[in-house]
């Protein structure tokens, strides 16, 4: 899954021959799951048609301050550049001609693309495209410098055959290269870039015999949402999950499937010393059958007793060996919730605990909402409203970011 998924991308097209390549750029963004709108300079319409771009982007294309409403062809509408600028999460001008860059650098605003540029508050990228002598000209270099000083990011032109027939620097970077440049740039700025996060999720199943087990109702939803939230912040996530129907599609999450508490213990310990943060949200069985029958147990007697033995407490074992890792546990309680959670925070040597009370409606197993209380190692108690598990996961990651100053 691309980091550009669900992003609002505004593509600005100016009058360079490379404008035809921008149609492909629209396709790449759409394929990545982004929403795309296109704003063009009037002259760029000579190089690529608005129809192509609106068809690919599935949105109207803006090239003038005044357009026609779809409903009544005679009615003119104001194309609001401020709204466009505010809509965008990212603004990319590709191709960026020497003329447009000089205007951008000097605050000239004589078309809707330039007005949108001046209104946009989001990160701006520009991919220059021009002939080699224009590219080398002092005036063009000044534009590059000025735009960089405004915080705009240049996607350098490549070298190759140019429209003039000359060979040299000035060719707009290929759409795939522009796409990767932006993706990487956004990733590099994410607060958890370079951090490894270990997460446990779901239930564990403890075998009784080859066909039966002791399990619980955990769906794994909470842990999977935490994995998504951590990956969205740029972390490399190891998600150790017990049996669940949940799935995750992300290049940043590696799912390790386990069945029993013992499997989970071993898998977690494989990754803990290389992790920066560990969040243990799994509902691990506290007990397992002492003896597992090799064959299916036959019903003979009117009653049947299974002797259970304790499983290893994974969270506690990490608390005992942790060095610099930030360790987060969950507590599922039905009574004296705060007291029990604070007790676990201390006894398991945690940095943060997330308290779930089964007394709260909409909290707990199976549902897609949760109501949690965070308790920090300094005993600060943060109560939260009932929220979707996705929002709880974001809140948790925000708090971890604050606590670790990442
Ligand atoms: N946990 C664990 N390994 C276990 C049991 C629990 O890692 N064998 C972790 C859970 O993932 C959770 C935390 O410990 O993060 C607390 O789990 P919970 O079931 O609330 O508490 P327990 O420590 O098992 O204590 P009790 O069941 O007595 O309340």
């Amino acid at each position: 899954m691309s980091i550009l998924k669900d992003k609002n991308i505004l593509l600005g097209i100016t009058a360079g021959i490379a404008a035809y390549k921008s149609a492909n750029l629209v396709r790449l963004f759409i394929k990545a799951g982004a929403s795309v709108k296109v704003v063009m300079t009037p002259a760029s319409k000579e190089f690529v048609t608005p129809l192509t771009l609106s068809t690919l982007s599935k949105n109207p294309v803006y090239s003038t301050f005044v357009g026609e409403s779809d409903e009544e062809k005679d009615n003119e509408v104001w194309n609001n550049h401020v709204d466009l600028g505010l809509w965008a999460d990212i603004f990319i001008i590709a191709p960026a001609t020497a003329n447009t860059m000089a205007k951008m650098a000097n605050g000239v605003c004589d078309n809707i693309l330039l007005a949108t540029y001046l209104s946009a508050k989001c990160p701006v990228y520009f991919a220059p495209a021009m002939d080699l002598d224009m590219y080398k000209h002092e005036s063009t270099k000044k534009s590059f410098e000025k735009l960089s000083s405004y915080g705009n990011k240049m996607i350098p032109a490549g070298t190759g055959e140019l429209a003039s027939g000359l060979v040299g620097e000035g060719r707009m970077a290929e759409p795939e290269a522009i796409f990767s440049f932006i993706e990487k740039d956004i990733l590099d700025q994410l607060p958890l870039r370079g951090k490894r996060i270990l997460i446990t999720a779901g239930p564990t199943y403890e075998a009784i015999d080859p066909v039966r087990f002791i399990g619980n109702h955990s769906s794994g939803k909470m842990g999977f949402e935490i994995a998504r939230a951590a990956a969205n912040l740029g972390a490399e996530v190891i998600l150790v999950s017990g049996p669940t129907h949940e799935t995750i599609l992300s290049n940043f999450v590696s799912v390790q499937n386990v069945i029993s508490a013992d499997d989970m213990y071993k898998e977690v310990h494989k990754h803990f010393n290389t992790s920066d943060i560990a969040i243990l949200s799994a509902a691990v069985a506290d007990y397992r059958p002492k003896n597992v029958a090799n064959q299916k147990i036959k019903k003979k007697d009117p009653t049947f007793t299974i002797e259970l033995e304790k499983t290893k407490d994974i969270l506690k074992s990490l608390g005992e060996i942790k060095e610099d890792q930030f360790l987060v546990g969950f507590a599922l309680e039905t009574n004296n919730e705060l007291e029990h959670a604070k007790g676990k925070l201390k006894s398991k040597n945690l940095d943060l605990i997330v308290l779930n009370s089964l007394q709260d409606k909409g909290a707990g197993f199976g549902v897609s909402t949760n109501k949690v209380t965070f308790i920090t190692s300094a005993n600060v108690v943060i109560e939260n409203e009932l929220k979707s598990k996705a929002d709880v996961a974001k809140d948790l990651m925000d708090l971890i970011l604050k606590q670790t100053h990442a």
Side-chain angles (χ1 to χ4, degrees):
M1 191 181 76
S2 167
I3 195 77
L4 297 179
K5 182 171 185 302
D6 298 330
K7 291 265 190 293
N8 289 341
I9 300 184
L10 183 61
L11 176 63
I13 300 182
T14 71
I17 187 74
Y20 78 93
K21 292 189 186 175
S22 298
N24 202 19
L25 198 50
V26 175
R27 283 189 55 231
L28 292 174
F29 290 140
I30 292 283
K31 223 170 120 191
S35 297
V36 181
K37 289 187 182 177
V38 177
V39 59
M40 308 176 77
T41 60
S44 71
K45 292 196 282 186
E46 302 288 336
F47 295 92
V48 59
T49 71
L51 182 62
T52 305
L53 298 163
S54 64
T55 307
L56 291 174
S57 67
K58 304 183 185 83
N59 269 315
V61 169
Y62 306 88
S63 60
T64 53
F65 285 106
V66 178
E68 278 177 356
S69 79
D70 283 345
E71 294 82 35
E72 294 171 64
K73 287 286 174 208
D74 300 333
N75 273 2
E76 288 187 332
V77 290
W78 171 246
N79 289 331
N80 193 332
H81 58 275
V82 177
D83 284 351
L84 261 184
L86 291 179
W87 172 84
D89 295 318
I90 305 164
F91 188 12
I92 301 141
I93 297 145
T97 57
N99 180 43
T100 290
M101 282 186 295
K103 289 178 175 179
M104 284 161 64
N106 291 293
V108 178
C109 173
D110 59 4
N111 62 43
I112 189 167
L113 186 149
L114 291 163
T116 308
Y117 168 70
L118 286 180
S119 317
K121 292 197 171 75
C122 61
V124 176
Y125 298 84
F126 59 99
M130 66 200 74
D131 213 59
L132 78 167
D133 293 319
M134 294 168 81
Y135 198 77
K136 277 193 208 135
H137 198 279
E138 281 308 309
S139 156
T140 308
K141 283 190 195 154
K142 283 262 155 25
S143 296
F144 293 160
E145 281 164 21
K146 270 197 174 176
L147 293 177
S148 301
S149 76
Y150 304 155
N152 303 164
K153 294 201 175 141
M154 173 162 146
I155 306 173
T159 302
E161 193 176 330
L162 301 164
S164 61
L166 297 173
V167 176
E169 207 175 8
R171 241 168 99 117
M172 184 177 86
E174 291 302 323
E176 289 77 9
I178 295 177
F179 182 90
S180 315
F181 183 102
I182 294 168
E183 228 185 6
K184 182 173 181 309
D185 191 64
I186 292 173
L187 283 173
D188 285 347
Q189 291 171 51
L190 291 175
L192 289 178
R193 186 76 168 149
K195 301 274 184 212
R196 282 187 110 214
I197 303 200
L198 176 62
I199 297 169
T200 67
T204 62
Y205 288 178
E206 309 303 323
I208 298 170
D209 68 14
V211 293
R212 302 179 180 97
F213 60 83
I214 298 173
N216 61 64
H217 291 298
S218 168
S219 61
K221 278 191 172 70
M222 194 63 245
F224 274 67
E225 289 298 355
I226 297 170
R228 273 185 203 105
N232 285 340
L233 294 172
E236 180 195 339
V237 179
I238 316 281
L239 176 59
V240 180
S241 175
T244 169
H245 295 299
E246 292 293 308
T247 52
I248 200 159
L249 249 187
S250 165
N251 299 336
F252 300 100
V253 183
S254 139
V255 182
Q256 309 296 324
N257 294 305
V258 294
I259 308 276
S260 67
D262 199 43
D263 298 340
M264 190 174 272
Y265 178 93
K266 288 182 186 134
E267 194 60 38
V268 162
H269 276 269
K270 265 193 224 165
H271 304 284
F272 185 61
N273 63 356
T274 53
S275 299
D276 301 288
I277 298 166
I279 306 170
L280 273 63
S281 70
V284 187
D286 289 330
Y287 291 93
R288 66 176 172 212
K290 192 167 179 192
N291 300 303
V292 182
N294 289 332
Q295 307 295 335
K296 185 181 170 209
I297 300 169
K298 291 287 179 197
K299 59 170 185 296
K300 288 184 296 212
D301 305 322
T303 60
F304 178 63
T305 306
I306 303 172
E307 192 181 354
L308 302 177
E309 65 180 4
K310 261 192 177 164
T311 56
K312 288 183 205 142
D313 188 323
I314 307 169
L315 184 59
K316 192 160 193 266
S317 70
L318 299 186
E320 282 160 7
I321 59 166
K322 81 167 184 190
E323 291 174 353
D324 300 329
Q325 293 94 336
F326 190 87
L327 185 58
V328 183
F330 272 66
L332 181 63
E333 306 293 344
T334 53
N335 62 311
N336 291 339
E337 294 93 334
L338 261 185
E339 191 189 322
H340 283 139
K342 284 182 178 174
K344 285 177 189 171
L345 179 75
K346 213 158 177 251
S347 67
K348 300 193 186 192
N349 191 23
L350 310 181
D351 298 289
L352 181 69
I353 194 154
V354 183
L355 166 63
N356 266 156
S357 170
L358 273 193
Q359 286 189 13
D360 287 321
K361 258 203 162 151
F365 289 158
V367 291
S368 57
T369 52
N370 207 352
K371 185 171 182 327
V372 300
T373 302
F374 300 128
I375 308 160
T376 70
S377 55
N379 260 331
V380 178
V381 177
I382 304 163
E383 291 189 20
N384 296 280
E385 299 296 305
L386 180 73
K387 295 183 179 187
S388 68
K389 285 185 173 167
D391 284 342
V392 171
K394 280 186 209 144
D395 289 351
L396 174 61
M397 290 315 302
D398 282 348
L399 183 60
I400 294 173
L401 277 179
K402 278 193 204 132
Q403 298 275 310
T404 56
H405 313 290

